Amino acid sequence: MGYEKRIDGRKKFEELRPIEAKAGVIKRADGSAYFKIGKTVAYAAVYGPRDLYPKFMQNPKKGILRCHYNMMPFSGQGDRVRPGANRRAKEISMITEKSLIPVINLEDFPNAVVDVFIELPQTDAGSRCAGITAASIALADAGIIMKDMVSAVAVGRVDDKLVVDLDYNEEAYEEGRAAADVPVAFLPNSGKLSLLQMDGNITKDELKKALEMGKEACKEIYEVQKKALKDKYQLGE
Amino acid sequence: MSELVVKNKEVVVPGEVLATGMDYLPGQGSYREGDNIHASILGLVNVDGRAIKLIPLSGRYLPKRGDTIIGKVIDVMMSGWRVELNCAYSAMLPLMGTSEYIMKGADLTKYFDLGDFMVAKITNVTSQKLVDLSTKGPGLRKLSGGRIMEVNTHKVPRIIGKQGSMVSMIKQATDCKIIVGQNGLVWILGEPDNELLAVKTIQKIEKESHVSGLTDKIKEFLEKETGKKLEVNVNGE
């Protein structure tokens, strides 16, 4: 038997959940974005480059990028998520930072910091990917010099099928082999990979194929990111 | 075979391919990778002959040599003043940079006290973003009285207008003294009601900066508000 049909009714295994994106949603921030994929919602706000304190953190050679990933208390599957940073949030903040750094030239703002705040009011798996995608729109909106955008999506294997953009039910699918979840982030124009994590087991061939599927999906997400930014600035003449 | 991929005056996002082939040259806000020219910032495309330049649409102020700025004194030191510029880096106004002769050991707060605002010129910016100021020159001085407002630094050219036509029109209509700093701070001095009108007008310009025929629209708005007949000096005379 195996996994025949997607639980949430999507037609194809390569299909993404419905996406919405908007730039400039937080007026006080230098740049901000809203990104929704299925039931996962992410807000990102970017402040800076600005002064960096405490002073010992300043580096005269290059600036720093600081990311804060936070799931809101009511954002989970019904159980209250304890507010504040936990081990998981800290790790995701770090990998968000590391997946965004390849497109940013930190030498542009020595001694200064760019802060990225990612808040998730509602989650249904794929939240780190939604966060990275939103953060990338927000950074561009903040006028930061970037080589490329960053688009992220989760790919994986549910039972014996490779799928793109898993939701929570697919991640928790219990029949057959345990599901594998592989969040990836691509720089859509150069096709380079800036994030690769894995939860579960996957064979080498499956991973290769999954990455190809992820790359295609990221191109789709990139188009949405592009549209969100252009819609904000392409005001009617 | 070289080809321009985007249209002139189009909004582009970081990473987007602007042109292919070696016939075009990357200008500000773009870079070359292989045969293609990519955008490195969210901006408006400006093609000038063979050079492709991007005009940034958002982002914080970046200090540039020669800019006239409005700054606030945040520290008084032995050899000068530290001045805040509404950006990630503060500037230094040395004793030598002032128009007066200051005796050694004199009380520097007599010239500029903490919290004072000034119009100054940026004389130098180093690679480490150390900024030097000078108040030598016509129109550069301490600002007393009036109010300070903040605008998007990329909208400053629209507020000033062609050869200062826009700002001189506001001055004429409101009888206010107005100084627009490149760093997005604007100083306004006049009768309280007139100051408020000037603030309102500048906010209107900032909001509608993309509209064509903006000068006429603002002229109409000011004439309605003040009941005066205004003349637009496009030549700045």
Side-chain angles (χ1 to χ4, degrees):
Chain A
M1 261 301 275
Y3 188 59
E4 294 292 339
K5 220 164 73 192
R6 299 197 76 162
I7 301 170
D8 63 353
R10 270 179 275 175
K11 299 277 182 323
K12 285 184 291 189
F13 288 112
E14 300 85 23
E15 195 175 325
L16 292 162
R17 291 174 283 177
I19 310 176
E20 269 173 54
K22 203 165 178 254
V25 288
I26 297 158
K27 297 287 176 269
R28 275 287 292 157
D30 291 311
S32 59
Y34 162 83
F35 184 78
K36 181 176 181 197
I37 182 158
K39 287 184 194 144
T40 301
V41 176
Y43 282 93
V46 171
Y47 292 84
R50 62 180 178 184
D51 284 7
L52 174 58
Y53 290 104
K55 203 162 183 187
F56 68 79
M57 284 175 78
Q58 292 185 359
N59 181 347
K61 280 210 183 102
K62 58 179 191 173
I64 64 169
L65 180 74
R66 253 191 322 210
C67 296
H68 306 262
Y69 165 100
N70 186 38
M71 262 167 82
M72 291 185 183
F74 46 82
S75 64
Q77 300 288 324
D79 291 330
R80 179 177 136 93
V81 180
R82 276 177 69 87
N86 50 32
R87 202 189 67 87
R88 176 175 174 275
K90 273 184 199 158
E91 186 203 298
I92 295 178
S93 302
M94 184 199 77
I95 60 106
T96 304
E97 194 181 301
K98 292 199 170 166
S99 65
L100 292 172
I101 278 179
V103 297
I104 292 172
N105 190 12
L106 293 174
E107 276 94 32
D108 287 338
F109 41 92
N111 287 324
V113 62
V114 172
D115 275 313
V116 181
F117 298 97
I118 300 164
E119 291 287 336
L120 297 127
Q122 178 178 319
T123 60
D124 183 27
S127 66
R128 71 193 69 192
C129 297
I132 291 168
T133 309
S136 168
I137 305 175
L139 282 168
D141 183 33
I144 309 272
I145 299 172
M146 295 162 81
K147 282 193 203 77
D148 205 337
M149 296 289 285
V150 183
S151 316
V153 75
V155 291
R157 178 183 49 71
V158 178
D159 194 8
D160 55 351
K161 292 289 191 314
L162 291 175
V163 295
V164 170
D165 192 20
L166 291 80
D167 65 13
Y168 185 77
N169 288 328
E170 286 180 318
E171 252 181 29
Y173 193 73
E174 281 184 344
E175 286 165 49
R177 290 159 69 194
D181 173 33
V182 183
V184 292
F186 280 96
L187 316 188
N189 284 293
S190 59
K192 285 178 183 156
L193 189 69
S194 78
L195 165 76
L196 179 61
Q197 286 188 303
M198 183 164 76
D199 187 7
N201 289 317
I202 200 165
T203 65
K204 191 174 164 188
D205 288 339
E206 280 171 338
L207 180 64
K208 273 187 186 163
K209 230 179 123 197
L211 284 178
E212 277 312 309
M213 287 162 76
K215 202 168 180 174
E216 285 308 308
C218 280
K219 279 184 192 152
E220 236 174 276
I221 293 173
Y222 171 62
E223 291 304 320
V224 178
Q225 291 178 306
K226 206 154 98 174
K227 190 168 173 298
L229 285 166
K230 291 192 176 186
D231 280 354
K232 183 184 168 190
Y233 290 99
Q234 208 127 47
L235 300 155
E237 269 302 306
Chain B
M1 198 35 214
S2 285
E3 203 186 342
L4 200 62
V5 182
V6 289
K7 286 192 279 294
N8 204 359
K9 299 272 177 269
E10 194 182 319
V11 180
V12 292
V13 303
E16 211 172 329
V17 178
L18 302 177
T20 59
M22 301 302 280
D23 282 355
Y24 286 97
L25 299 168
Q28 191 198 23
S30 60
Y31 67 100
R32 176 181 290 288
E33 186 150 308
D35 275 350
N36 297 342
I37 295 175
H38 295 263
S40 64
I41 198 163
L42 179 75
L44 266 183
V45 180
N46 193 341
V47 185
D48 183 12
R50 290 173 61 208
I52 303 177
K53 197 174 98 178
L54 290 187
I55 301 161
L57 289 166
S58 57
R60 291 245 172 141
Y61 175 67
L62 256 187
K64 212 166 80 245
R65 181 197 284 197
D67 278 359
T68 302
I69 53 87
I70 291 177
K72 181 185 174 189
V73 177
I74 49 166
D75 199 3
V76 183
M77 293 172 293
M78 289 275 267
S79 53
W81 296 266
R82 192 142 279 282
V83 180
E84 197 178 64
L85 300 182
N86 189 29
C87 77
Y89 305 100
S90 58
M92 177 78 186
L93 173 66
L95 291 182
M96 294 290 284
T98 56
S99 50
E100 282 158 283
Y101 175 73
I102 299 172
M103 286 281 285
K104 230 180 176 178
D107 180 14
L108 295 188
T109 56
K110 269 198 293 192
Y111 303 92
F112 293 103
D113 202 354
L114 285 176
D116 281 353
F117 282 91
M118 65 172 81
V119 207
K121 209 171 201 104
I122 297 181
T123 53
N124 201 9
V125 182
T126 71
S127 64
Q128 296 307 303
K129 308 280 179 193
L130 296 173
V131 184
D132 269 343
L133 294 180
S134 161
T135 53
K136 273 183 210 162
L140 305 181
R141 62 194 170 90
K142 181 161 132 181
L143 298 171
S144 25
R147 65 175 73 209
I148 295 278
M149 72 177 287
E150 213 177 292
V151 296
N152 182 338
T153 152
H154 302 291
K155 303 278 168 72
V156 166
R158 298 312 299 265
I159 293 165
I160 294 172
K162 279 198 189 94
Q163 273 104 38
S165 60
M166 190 73 91
V167 73
S168 60
M169 187 169 76
I170 306 173
K171 282 181 190 165
Q172 194 192 339
T174 60
D175 290 323
C176 286
K177 287 180 177 176
I178 301 174
I179 298 172
V180 186
Q182 287 293 327
N183 58 339
L185 292 183
V186 182
W187 175 78
I188 303 164
L189 174 67
E191 291 298 315
D193 284 350
N194 293 340
E195 279 184 12
L196 284 177
L197 178 61
V199 169
K200 211 166 137 193
T201 314
I202 290 170
Q203 278 166 348
K204 196 175 161 75
I205 298 170
E206 199 187 359
K207 215 169 91 197
E208 299 175 18
S209 60
H210 56 280
V211 178
S212 53
L214 182 66
T215 317
D216 291 336
K217 218 176 150 187
I218 295 299
K219 186 182 164 200
E220 213 172 277
F221 169 77
L222 283 171
E223 280 177 349
K224 212 177 110 202
E225 291 282 327
T226 58
K228 279 189 211 166
K229 200 91 193 103
L230 297 173
E231 279 170 49
V232 184
N233 296 322
V234 185
N235 302 321
E237 277 151 25

